[in-house]
Amino acid sequence: MDELDRRIINYLQGDFPIDNSPYQIIAQKLDISEDELLKRLDHLLENRTLTRFGPMYDIQKLGGSFSLCAIRVPANRFEEVTQIINSFPEVAHNYERDHDFNMWYVLATESLAQIDITNQSIEDKTGLKVYNMPKIQEFFVGLHFQA
Amino acid sequence: MTLDKKKNMDDLDRKIIAATQSGLPLVKEPYQAIAQQLNIEPELLMQHMRAMLKTGQIRRIGAVPNHYKLGYTANAMSVWNVPDDKIYELGQQLGALSFVSHCYERPRFLPEWPYNLFAMLHGKSKDEVAEKVQEVVTLLGEHCAGYELLYSKQILKKTGLRLKEPSPK
């Protein structure tokens, strides 16, 4: 990754135009050719420096529901409980964290009601209390990593 | 997950999402390429995408860096206990910091979980994250009644969120 790659990454964390020739617009701003920009982007995606390039959709605004949930899992049941939680297709992510609240998963469902139904089912199967922590307000979501 | 029955999305929006959720094509006229694939006029595609940007259904169009590849290997979920009547102001300030990627208000569960403000912090080392935590402590000042850092130990599951193609009627 060289200086130009860094400039491209930093620049493209802003807003990409919706226009007939959007790459041309960005290339001009970066003072490089359109071909060079396309080649660089292809390479950055290829080597996984970028995980994605394109529109970021807000699933919640499209009608789906999300929630972050936490459980305190006793150490001797960690593997068993992981298997139970991960078996639910509604569980999109699940992380072990260094805390008494040691399991944190994200539910993604088609409706708000399904969040509660899924958590009830998880409580029934694990016998553990689920702490459902859906967002109340969003202050910021984004990535402004300096490359 | 499938969202094919949601009212606030029309069929074309759904097709556009399905065609672009893995990314924009790296060709000189990417919107034309997608429009061709969907068999619609490029102008119609661009109109719909501009409308989705305006409503926030599209958050933004751009690049998502792999933060591990950029050297951000220390990633902590920081949780803060701040007064409810100050949370809007403090949340805005916290979310504006360059090392915060997500910032939300979430419910407390008293007494065992007193934290209502969540922020994901990213740094190139745990020491760097610790410095950033001090910045947040300074920022919140007397309004902070306590905080904790929860570093991730292990990813137990991570699946992409994928919309299904609309089913033919």
Side-chain angles (χ1 to χ4, degrees):
Chain A
M1 192 162 66
D2 65 12
E3 196 42 44
L4 179 55
D5 287 330
R6 289 176 204 280
R7 282 176 58 215
I8 291 172
I9 295 170
N10 291 336
Y11 200 84
L12 287 179
Q13 292 181 63
D15 291 320
F16 189 74
I18 300 178
D19 184 274
N20 284 324
S21 306
Y23 294 109
Q24 180 62 38
I25 295 172
I26 299 294
Q28 266 170 14
K29 291 194 174 159
L30 291 167
D31 206 19
I32 57 174
S33 73
E34 189 183 20
D35 286 329
E36 177 74 14
L37 175 62
L38 285 167
K39 200 182 81 188
R40 293 278 180 149
L41 269 178
D42 188 45
H43 186 67
L44 290 168
L45 284 162
E46 182 82 13
N47 70 18
R48 306 280 303 148
T49 304
L50 298 180
T51 57
R52 235 182 133 256
F53 176 73
M56 249 74 69
Y57 290 100
D58 183 337
I59 304 289
Q60 216 143 13
K61 287 215 171 125
L62 296 171
S65 282
F66 270 107
S67 195
L68 176 68
C69 310
I71 307 194
R72 290 187 283 194
V73 184
N76 62 353
R77 293 191 56 201
F78 198 84
E79 223 165 288
E80 171 216 345
V81 172
T82 302
Q83 276 188 11
I84 295 173
I85 305 268
N86 288 1
S87 73
F88 284 82
E90 293 86 354
V91 173
H93 303 165
N94 187 11
Y95 280 78
E96 179 182 9
R97 293 194 179 274
D98 199 359
H99 193 271
D100 182 32
F101 284 80
N102 52 354
M103 195 178 284
W104 292 78
Y105 59 87
V106 172
L107 291 183
T109 65
E110 289 187 56
S111 68
L112 199 55
Q114 273 176 281
I115 298 277
D116 291 337
I117 292 167
T118 307
N119 277 333
Q120 185 59 55
S121 177
I122 287 174
E123 287 194 337
D124 292 346
K125 284 196 173 174
T126 60
L128 298 170
K129 177 174 172 171
V130 168
Y131 294 78
N132 183 30
M133 303 185 190
K135 71 175 180 194
I136 297 172
Q137 283 189 78
E138 177 179 302
F139 300 113
F140 181 76
V141 174
L143 295 157
H144 28 45
F145 290 112
Q146 280 297 115
Chain B
M1 105 174 162
T2 67
L3 294 173
D4 356 25
K5 289 181 196 100
K6 296 304 157 198
K7 300 187 260 318
N8 51 351
M9 257 165 93
D10 69 22
D11 264 2
L12 183 54
D13 285 347
R14 228 171 282 135
K15 284 184 188 164
I16 293 170
I17 295 167
T20 57
Q21 64 188 342
S22 63
L24 277 186
L26 297 177
V27 297
K28 294 191 176 186
E29 301 191 329
Y31 299 106
Q32 276 82 339
I34 298 160
Q36 202 172 11
Q37 189 190 325
L38 297 177
N39 209 11
I40 57 169
E41 288 299 318
E43 200 42 55
L44 181 64
L45 173 79
M46 290 194 275
Q47 267 173 27
H48 272 252
M49 290 188 71
R50 286 192 194 107
M52 284 195 274
L53 254 179
K54 207 169 170 191
T55 58
Q57 290 169 310
I58 296 178
R59 287 180 184 277
R60 70 182 180 95
I61 303 174
V64 182
N66 175 347
H67 53 270
Y68 286 93
K69 277 259 186 178
L70 299 183
Y72 293 86
T73 51
N75 304 291
M77 181 169 81
S78 68
V79 295
W80 307 82
N81 177 3
V82 301
D84 290 327
D85 62 355
K86 288 267 185 263
I87 196 162
Y88 182 77
E89 180 193 333
L90 298 171
Q92 295 284 345
Q93 290 174 22
L94 185 50
L97 298 172
S98 66
F99 48 86
V100 172
S101 70
H102 298 74
C103 185
Y104 299 108
E105 178 186 2
R106 297 186 183 279
R108 297 182 169 98
F109 285 87
L110 296 173
E112 62 267 53
W113 187 262
Y115 310 107
N116 55 346
L117 185 57
F118 286 55
M120 295 301 302
L121 308 182
H122 305 272
K124 294 186 174 176
S125 65
K126 282 196 177 182
D127 284 350
E128 194 186 324
V129 171
E131 280 171 29
K132 290 171 173 175
V133 167
Q134 283 317 305
E135 274 186 55
V136 179
V137 168
T138 307
L139 173 81
L140 300 179
E142 57 171 2
H143 301 306
C144 175
Y147 72 91
E148 287 193 76
L149 292 185
L150 286 76
Y151 280 97
S152 59
K153 280 176 83 176
Q154 203 187 155
I155 298 174
L156 303 169
K157 184 177 185 182
K158 191 162 192 172
T159 55
L161 300 167
R162 282 282 180 264
L163 298 180
K164 269 199 191 162
E165 294 268 5
S167 32
K169 296 211 168 118

